[in-house]
Amino acid sequence: MTTNALPPVVDADTWQRQLEELRTREKAATRELDAIAAQRRRLPMVEMPDYTLEGEDGPVRLVDVFDGMRQLIVYNHMWSPGEEWQCSGCTGFTSQFTRLQFLDNYDARFVIVTQGPLDEALAYKRRVGNKMTWYSTANSPFGTDVGAPPGEGFAVNVFLRDGDTVYRTWHTSGRGTEQLSHTFALIDLLPYGRQEEWQDSPDGWPQSPAYSRWPTSKDIATLYGPNPA
C-alpha cells in the first residue's frame, strides 16, 4: 500500500482510448507550434549597431561573435555583482547545452552574453561546469539594448548576419525560454509533472512552491563543475 496519490487504474482499452484523446490535443499543439514557427520565419528584422563585446581572446565585434556563421542565438545570462552564485534559473538552463556542434549544419551558433565582468564571468563558467562560449557586455550597451540590462532579467535573442551587418530577428524572456529547455519537456511527461503549486493537478498530487525543486547554482556546480560529485 502507498499513501501517495495515484492516477486511477483502468483496463488497457480504457487507457488506450484516453491516450488517443490526449494525442489529438498533442497533435493540435504540434501543428500550432509549426504555425508559430512559420510566422517567426516571416518576422521582419532590425539592423543592429556595431557593438564590441569582451571575449576570452579580448574585444570582439558582435559580427565576429557569429564565428563565420550566418545565424546566432544569444542567451543573456542574469548577473548579480559580487555574488558567488549567480541566477540558478540561468545556471540550470545553460548547463543543459553541452553539445552544440549540430548547429554547424544549420549555419548557426549559440553563445552566452552576461553583464558580469569577463574575468568573473569566465571564473563562474568554470565553477559550474558550463560548456558554452561566454562573452561580456559589461562595457557595452548591447545587453541593455536587447532586453537584458544590468541587474535585471534574462533573455534569448536571435540574430542574422548579412556580410558585416547584423540584424535582430527574435526575442523572448520569462517562460518563453521553456521551449528551448529539455528539462521541462521531460518533467512535464511525468505523472506528477513539475509538482509546483501553480500547476493544474488532481487533488492530492504532490505540489511545492514554484522553483523549490530547481537545483541551486551550487548544486549544479557539484554535479557538473570541474570536480563533480
Side-chain angles (χ1 to χ4, degrees):
M1 297 292 291
T2 177
T3 58
N4 292 333
L6 297 171
V9 178
V10 296
D11 61 82
D13 288 342
T14 301
W15 178 84
Q16 186 64 44
R17 184 173 64 254
Q18 294 196 24
L19 176 64
E20 290 170 358
E21 291 173 359
L22 176 62
R23 184 76 74 243
T24 298
R25 296 188 64 184
E26 291 173 337
K27 287 181 177 294
T30 297
R31 288 191 291 271
E32 177 61 12
L33 288 174
D34 287 343
I36 290 170
Q39 183 176 351
R40 187 182 297 117
R41 290 191 292 273
R42 288 167 173 79
L43 280 176
M45 58 188 183
V46 60
E47 184 175 344
M48 302 297 287
D50 187 14
Y51 296 101
T52 297
L53 307 180
E54 296 292 327
E56 285 196 69
D57 298 324
V60 56
R61 296 171 61 203
L62 177 60
V63 68
D64 293 325
V65 174
F66 285 74
D67 197 25
M69 303 298 179
R70 291 203 64 201
Q71 302 172 103
L72 177 69
I73 302 169
V74 170
Y75 184 82
N76 296 94
H77 195 297
M78 290 179 66
W79 190 266
S80 299
E83 295 293 329
E84 179 182 9
W85 301 109
Q86 298 298 325
C87 169
S88 60
C90 291
T91 304
F93 177 82
T94 57
S95 71
Q96 303 171 78
F97 302 105
T98 59
R99 294 179 175 87
L100 291 166
Q101 291 83 356
F102 70 91
L103 288 174
D104 293 352
N105 291 341
Y106 296 88
D107 205 7
R109 193 182 188 209
F110 190 1
V111 303
I112 292 176
V113 173
T114 183
Q115 292 283 356
L118 183 65
D119 57 344
E120 295 181 19
L122 294 179
Y124 186 72
K125 169 189 172 179
R126 291 188 292 270
R127 187 180 313 133
V128 298
N130 194 282
K131 304 300 182 185
M132 299 174 75
T133 303
W134 285 50
Y135 298 89
S136 171
T137 184
N139 299 310
S140 162
F142 172 75
T144 297
D145 291 350
V146 297
E152 296 189 27
F154 60 93
V156 175
N157 285 279
V158 181
F159 303 93
L160 178 66
R161 180 182 64 84
D162 184 25
D164 282 345
T165 304
V166 175
Y167 300 91
R168 188 185 187 197
T169 64
W170 189 74
H171 164 268
T172 195
S173 60
R175 294 192 66 197
T177 62
E178 287 189 6
Q179 286 189 47
L180 307 178
S181 168
H182 68 249
T183 57
F184 290 129
L186 291 175
I187 294 168
D188 284 342
L189 294 178
L190 301 173
Y192 295 138
R194 302 186 198 184
Q195 303 177 47
E196 296 192 354
E197 291 172 339
W198 62 271
Q199 288 198 294
D200 181 0
S201 295
D203 290 342
W205 250 228
Q207 289 187 301
S208 306
Y211 316 128
S212 61
R213 293 179 182 271
W214 290 21
T216 67
S217 297
K218 187 175 181 180
D219 292 335
I220 292 164
T222 300
L223 292 170
Y224 307 121
N227 299 298

